[in-house]
Amino acid sequence: MAKLDIERIRLKVYRFDPETDREARIDTHDVPYVDGMTVLDALFHVLEKIDGSLAFRFSCREGICGACAMFINGSYRLACETQVARVLREGHRELHVMPLPHLPVIKDLVVDMTRFWQNYEAIAPWIVTRTADPEKERLQSPAQRKLIDEYVGCILCGSCFSSCPSVWTGREYLGPNAMMKTYRWVVDSRDDAAVERLGRAGNEKGAWRCHTIFNCTEACPKKINQTSAIQGLKRRTVAAMLRGAR
Amino acid sequence: MIYHEVLVVGGGLAGLRAAIEAHDAGCEVAVLSRVHPVRSHSVAAQGGINAALGNHEKAQDDSPERHAFDTIKGSDYLADQDAVEILTSEAPVCIYEMEHWGCPFSRTADGRIAQRPFGGAGYPRTCYAADKTGHALLHTMYEQTLKRRIRVYEEWQVVSLAVEDGRCYGVVALDLRTGALEAVGAGAVIFATGGGGRIYGNSTNNIINTGSGMAVAYMAGVPLKDMEFIQFHPTSLFGNNVLMTEGARGEGGYLRNALGERFMEKYAPQAMELAPRDITARAIQTEINEGRGFPGGYVHLDLTHLGAERIMERLPAIRDIAINFTGVDPIYEPIPIQPGQHYFMGGIDTDSTGATEVAGFYAAGECACVSVHGANRLGGNSLLETIVFGRIAGRHAAGYVKGEGGEAARSGLAKVMARVLGETEKKVLRVLEADGPEDPADLRDELRETMFRTVGLFRDEKTMTAGLEKVHELRERYPRMGLRHRGRRYNLDWARNLELEGMILVAEAIAAGALARRESRGSHFRTDARERDDESFLKHTIARLTGDGPRLEYRPVTITRWEPKARTY
Ligand SMILES: Cc1cc2nc3c(=O)[nH]c(=O)nc-3n(C[C@H](O)[C@H](O)[C@H](O)COP(=O)(O)OP(=O)(O)OC[C@H]3O[C@@H](n4cnc5c(N)ncnc54)[C@H](O)[C@@H]3O)c2cc1C
Ligand code: SF4
Ligand code: FES
């Protein structure tokens, strides 16, 4: 990666503790820049060397655990895999780090994901089978496996949920992630509960709330196309209704 | 006070598997974890999980016995052979169970679980889900805990273990969001708190792998076993040490030095790039030390001959990581790599049921030492250990609670928990109010740098003695540190520096064990004692914490069928 000829980077970070602060503020820090530095590295510098009260989530630092999704310079990104140099190359002159929008703030960059997790649980995201388990594996061809490949890559980071206007306005919509995950099970050749799953996704909390705005798809750090999964759900729900009506 | 029949600390693979088993055995179970379960380190495992399924065309006569032999030879004969036999014979059952639970394994052309070759294994027996196996397994395991509605305390950090008269009564934990300290009583406690890679610099581990569970147990009087055995992974990304899975070599990747040579032919002419990790990591470091590396200290992992299609299908995450962090696309260019700290073979001393010497206290997964990995773990055996021994520990903890053990524990519960809560409160407040001149971030950095440099890939008496002295110095400086923030809510400064004491104590156990072991075995390689010495050291190191550091004892290794032989590849 091309080297950047700078010594410091200006970081503007959102600060808010709902228990003690009347309103949020933005703190500005100048952080020493080193090659290869990520946004997460910059946050750690603040925590360890400047202001120990900064709160943020982290774990894997390699883009797989989903802990560090944030709103960085106007886009949803994982702080750990976002190189400072890349943000600057996009034409930004400083880093702007905000928590995931539209979610309640616990402190600073740490948001309350309760509703996201509850919605995930609400779709019964586990396999349901009607036949006894075989002695060995249930067979699944590489082609059948491919149908779920995109969707099992989800890291449950919450970006899509945070980005969805239907989630902001409709308290009961389960959101793009829950819908995409429903579809993941519907198309898994080993799962036998497609009828129940489509029933759940076909009601007022489900797929019909999606207005194909594509915010989620754009927000997803794993480039998962939730919208096409939701379209798939809609198609199958209609097909199931037609079959039922016959 | 909160009470659960079985309390599992840790939401990674070992913890969730233990919770599921204890739940299915009829116990009321809760999981407590300092991160949401899917953020646990298990999610980052890449390459795969071993089981002798024989699905690969070259592995039709593979068997649990052959898997056991490879594991024991890989361990340089330090693993307990009865425990290894449990690991490898339970492996197929556990893998099929994960598949029945919906785990999205990659598949063979005829629809079975795909398997790939891994280092130190005689057959391709590593089951995988592309290069995101840990993610596939952990998400599946989490789905099963949701199905069972197992309660999870998310973002709670355990600070102490309540032990009295050889019996465990629960834990004291910090609720990070509120900053409140809570006593959590339990009929049985299972630690599944993962490894301590971040005690070292240049680690492939996630940031939260600080060994805090090992430290909490150690401070409560539970001994640690074989701590000197630290695995260094041959291929971590140059710069930030993100792992480049062994699966990359399993798929046919080459290692080349700056002269373009496939240097492994000098070190393991038969196995080449698929020699076990200890041998491969030392080979790379030798090339670098002798001037055949690239400037800065790295060699190349070359995948360019594999072709775009294979890389995209089998190693997509590796490619993304290489592009994201170094700008190198492995389809066209070799990846710069160096050895990095990777895994703790040692841990909380348990037997093959997960039990420790404290009644009602169990451990499983990377934080535990059963021991199935001995002096060197084979790739793909750790994920396996989490599931096999998580399950076993869950079952035995449930049995203990249902038997008289649970009753006995409950009778003294309130009193013990009140005492431990009081003592812990004092300790955590002392840290929160610390306002000395020492910067804890410096202490942490110095600790990591010291451990990697002095108790690393190549060891000798003089360097290790200096390292141990430095650790002692850090131990003395720790109480003089100053925190930057004194609020209680989501105070990372507090939570992270609370653990620092434990990191230092565990580092001390590692260095002391390594100094005392005057031989080379597996990952423990001494330039001043290059041979394995079965006569004096075919035994486990047991470290107990005393007022002036670790006291070492030794225990024999269990040998069942495989007599120690020279280890060549
Ligand atoms: C990058 C990488 C790749 C790997 N790839 C492979 C592979 O392909 N195959 C293989 O076999 N092995 C692999 N390993 C090793 C393997 O991933 C780990 O050993 C294994 O996942 C550990 O699982 P665990 O359940 O024991 O602990 P973890 O998954 O680390 O979970 C620990 C849990 O404990 C909790 N915890 C810790 N301390 C506390 C505390 N004080 N209070 C409360 N909660 C606490 C954490 O929140 C977490 O939930 C890899 C390791 C690394 C570093
Ligand atoms: S679908 Fe994408 S954005 Fe949504 S939770 Fe999963 S990884 Fe995050
Ligand atoms: S820290 Fe895990 S995704 Fe960023």
Side-chain angles (χ1 to χ4, degrees):
Chain A
M1 204 157 277
K3 294 203 187 313
L4 273 184
D5 199 14
I6 54 170
E7 274 176 20
R8 309 182 86 72
I9 172 76
R10 177 153 293 179
L11 169 68
K12 293 198 161 155
V13 57
Y14 176 95
R15 306 299 310 267
F16 182 51
D17 183 342
E19 299 236 324
T20 53
D21 302 341
R22 299 231 338 254
E23 54 189 37
R25 64 174 199 277
I26 303 290
D27 279 356
T28 304
H29 303 288
D30 285 335
V31 173
Y33 177 78
V34 285
D35 275 327
M37 184 178 205
T38 64
V39 173
L40 189 65
D41 293 333
L43 294 174
F44 265 108
H45 180 88
V46 174
L47 175 69
E48 292 185 344
K49 295 294 174 191
I50 305 175
D51 184 347
S53 68
L54 180 66
F56 52 96
R57 288 196 174 107
F58 54 86
S59 175
C60 71
R61 67 82 172 84
E62 55 176 277
I64 190 72
C65 79
C68 69
M70 297 173 195
F71 198 62
I72 299 168
N73 290 74
S75 312
Y76 288 87
R77 315 186 207 225
L78 299 175
C80 70
E81 63 176 20
T82 302
Q83 299 259 335
V84 171
R86 181 170 321 146
V87 180
L88 298 190
R89 265 202 310 274
E90 289 166 8
H92 302 285
R93 309 193 45 192
E94 40 188 37
L95 296 175
H96 289 206
V97 183
M98 309 285 287
L100 286 182
H102 301 282
L103 295 178
V105 170
I106 292 174
K107 193 178 153 196
D108 305 335
L109 303 169
V110 176
V111 291
D112 185 349
M113 303 255 292
T114 308
R115 197 178 146 210
F116 173 80
W117 295 119
Q118 281 171 348
N119 292 355
Y120 180 51
E121 208 173 329
I123 63 150
W126 49 80
I127 195 167
V128 176
T129 52
R130 307 261 187 256
T131 54
D133 290 337
E135 192 193 329
K136 296 188 170 178
E137 63 270 69
R138 284 198 164 77
L139 297 180
Q140 181 173 56
S141 70
Q144 289 170 326
R145 170 64 175 74
K146 221 178 175 94
L147 294 177
I148 59 172
D149 196 54
E150 178 175 356
Y151 310 124
V152 298
C154 167
I155 58 174
L156 298 172
C157 71
S159 295
C160 55
F161 184 76
S162 157
S163 79
C164 174
S166 298
V167 169
W168 309 339
T169 53
R171 283 298 303 173
E172 52 304 324
Y173 177 44
L174 293 174
N177 176 270
M179 290 302 106
M180 179 275 288
K181 283 291 191 177
T182 301
Y183 190 66
R184 172 246 180 281
W185 287 109
V186 169
V187 296
D188 191 322
S189 59
R190 300 167 297 174
D191 188 81
D192 294 329
V195 174
E196 292 89 328
R197 295 187 195 282
L198 289 174
R200 269 194 297 269
N203 67 18
E204 73 286 357
K205 296 181 181 170
W208 302 102
R209 288 269 174 171
C210 167
H211 302 303
T212 39
I213 296 164
F214 288 101
N215 274 14
C216 52
T217 304
E218 203 170 299
C220 179
K222 295 290 136 182
K223 305 188 183 80
I224 295 168
N225 191 334
Q226 305 89 337
T227 314
S228 77
I230 298 173
Q231 293 308 99
L233 274 182
K234 287 180 182 169
R235 265 196 316 275
R236 281 165 196 256
T237 320
V238 172
M241 278 181 336
L242 291 178
R243 263 200 309 279
R246 226 172 7 199
Chain B
M1 183 190 36
I2 306 168
Y3 178 84
H4 296 285
E5 277 190 336
V6 174
L7 178 72
V8 178
V9 181
L13 277 171
L16 296 187
R17 188 62 191 83
I20 288 170
E21 192 70 9
H23 170 93
D24 290 356
C27 283
E28 183 276 321
V29 183
V31 172
L32 192 152
S33 172
R34 71 151 147 227
V35 292
H36 185 283
V38 303
R39 319 289 186 220
S40 301
H41 182 63
S42 293
V43 83
Q46 299 173 348
I49 177 165
N50 297 339
L53 306 182
N55 285 356
H56 194 284
E57 76 247 8
K58 291 195 192 120
Q60 273 146 14
D61 54 349
D62 197 8
S63 66
E65 292 72 38
R66 297 208 155 102
H67 183 185
F69 172 70
D70 288 343
T71 301
I72 289 161
K73 180 180 174 191
S75 82
D76 222 345
Y77 294 91
L78 192 71
D80 286 323
Q81 299 187 1
D82 52 345
V84 173
E85 290 186 71
I86 296 173
L87 179 79
T88 63
S89 61
E90 296 280 302
V93 181
C94 285
I95 299 298
Y96 289 135
E97 181 176 71
M98 290 307 297
E99 199 283 328
H100 296 156
W101 284 348
C103 183
F105 285 111
S106 296
R107 299 287 167 158
T108 62
D110 59 359
R112 291 177 298 158
I113 295 170
Q115 297 189 279
R116 60 164 53 121
F118 244 48
Y123 295 88
R125 69 166 75 93
T126 305
C127 310
Y128 61 94
D131 52 359
K132 291 176 269 193
T133 313
H135 175 279
L137 290 168
L138 186 63
H139 280 238
T140 305
M141 201 73 95
Y142 179 60
E143 291 158 10
Q144 291 296 313
T145 58
L146 286 179
K147 180 180 172 190
R148 290 168 175 76
R149 307 205 173 284
I150 292 171
R151 162 135 202 209
V152 179
Y153 293 86
E154 195 190 313
E155 303 190 335
W156 284 46
Q157 178 173 325
V158 168
V159 231
S160 53
L161 185 68
V163 175
E164 195 165 288
D165 296 333
R167 192 174 284 284
C168 174
Y169 293 81
V171 302
V172 173
L174 183 64
D175 176 350
L176 295 175
R177 293 185 198 174
T178 61
L181 201 63
E182 306 272 2
V184 186
V189 173
I190 304 174
F191 267 24
T193 49
R198 290 281 165 161
I199 294 171
Y200 274 76
N202 296 3
S203 175
T204 63
N205 286 200
N206 75 4
I207 302 171
I208 64 168
N209 270 16
T210 52
S212 91
M214 298 179 196
V216 166
Y218 186 48
M219 289 190 274
V222 185
L224 301 179
K225 181 158 76 196
D226 291 342
M227 292 304 286
E228 61 269 34
F229 296 101
I230 304 286
Q231 180 162 82
F232 297 88
H233 197 288
T235 56
S236 75
L237 208 55
F238 175 65
N240 65 359
N241 300 99
V242 171
L243 186 74
M244 297 284 107
T245 176
E246 187 163 309
R249 282 169 287 134
E251 294 296 342
Y254 296 150
L255 291 171
R256 294 184 193 278
N257 61 20
L259 308 173
E261 298 164 341
R262 277 181 73 191
F263 54 85
M264 283 310 293
E265 63 193 18
K266 285 183 288 191
Y267 304 89
Q270 300 294 318
M272 293 295 287
E273 277 84 359
L274 287 178
R277 291 178 176 174
D278 53 340
I279 294 170
T280 313
R282 284 196 294 270
I284 294 172
Q285 197 60 48
T286 304
E287 292 297 302
I288 295 170
N289 292 352
E290 293 179 357
R292 293 183 295 278
F294 291 89
Y298 62 89
V299 299
H300 276 155
L301 170 63
D302 187 357
L303 309 183
T304 53
H305 57 287
L306 298 182
E309 197 181 327
R310 190 171 178 117
I311 293 176
M312 309 270 255
E313 187 202 321
R314 307 273 178 92
L315 302 164
I318 288 304
R319 176 168 180 251
D320 282 351
I321 291 170
I323 293 175
N324 267 333
F325 291 105
T326 64
V328 166
D329 184 341
I331 294 178
Y332 308 107
E333 281 174 85
I335 311 170
I337 56 95
Q338 63 180 181
Q341 186 289 335
H342 187 55
Y343 185 81
F344 274 42
M345 267 73 73
I348 299 168
D349 175 28
T350 75
D351 64 18
S352 56
T353 69
T356 65
E357 64 177 37
V358 171
F361 178 58
Y362 297 77
E366 189 170 341
C367 73
C369 180
V370 176
S371 136
V372 290
H373 308 304
N376 172 61
R377 164 177 80 91
L378 293 190
N381 267 355
S382 168
L383 290 179
L384 179 61
E385 180 193 17
T386 64
I387 298 181
V388 169
F389 286 96
R391 184 164 172 249
I392 291 175
R395 191 184 317 143
H396 284 269
Y400 172 82
V401 174
K402 294 291 178 201
E404 55 197 282
E407 275 308 307
R410 227 162 319 183
S411 56
L413 187 73
K415 214 174 102 241
V416 177
M417 292 310 295
R419 172 182 64 78
V420 178
L421 179 62
E423 289 165 8
T424 310
E425 182 89 42
K426 274 199 212 110
K427 176 171 160 173
V428 301
L429 287 180
R430 209 162 43 232
V431 172
L432 185 64
E433 284 151 16
D435 66 348
E438 293 282 0
D439 184 339
D442 292 345
L443 299 184
R444 204 177 302 115
D445 288 347
E446 288 174 40
L447 177 70
R448 290 176 177 159
E449 187 279 327
T450 303
M451 291 305 285
F452 192 82
R453 183 172 47 79
T454 66
V455 201
L457 280 144
F458 296 99
R459 305 171 173 186
D460 66 79
E461 170 128 9
K462 196 161 144 251
T463 320
M464 285 193 288
T465 308
L468 191 55
E469 269 165 30
K470 177 75 188 183
V471 176
H472 288 150
E473 175 205 310
L474 294 170
R475 190 175 167 178
E476 272 161 31
R477 283 161 63 194
Y478 176 79
R480 296 200 298 273
M481 72 179 172
L483 257 59
R484 290 192 159 76
H485 178 55
R486 287 179 224 296
R488 288 189 78 131
R489 279 172 35 81
Y490 225 105
N491 183 343
L492 292 175
D493 197 22
W494 186 25
R496 297 179 78 227
N497 293 321
L498 254 176
E499 307 187 313
L500 183 52
E501 179 186 19
M503 292 168 72
I504 296 171
L505 294 177
V506 171
E508 198 180 33
I510 296 169
L515 251 178
R517 189 175 279 276
R518 301 196 115 274
E519 66 157 353
S520 288
R521 184 184 296 272
S523 65
H524 173 69
F525 189 85
R526 288 184 61 145
T527 51
D528 55 356
R530 289 175 166 268
E531 299 300 316
R532 190 174 85 195
D533 177 0
D534 286 339
E535 197 124 315
S536 319
F537 287 106
L538 184 57
K539 59 189 183 184
H540 298 293
T541 309
I542 308 289
R544 284 176 199 281
L545 184 61
T546 70
D548 33 46
R551 191 182 74 226
L552 302 182
E553 301 160 7
Y554 292 91
R555 188 184 303 150
V557 173
T558 308
I559 309 272
T560 56
R561 295 199 260 162
W562 295 278
E563 280 305 315
K565 286 200 284 225
R567 183 169 166 256
T568 53
Y569 288 93

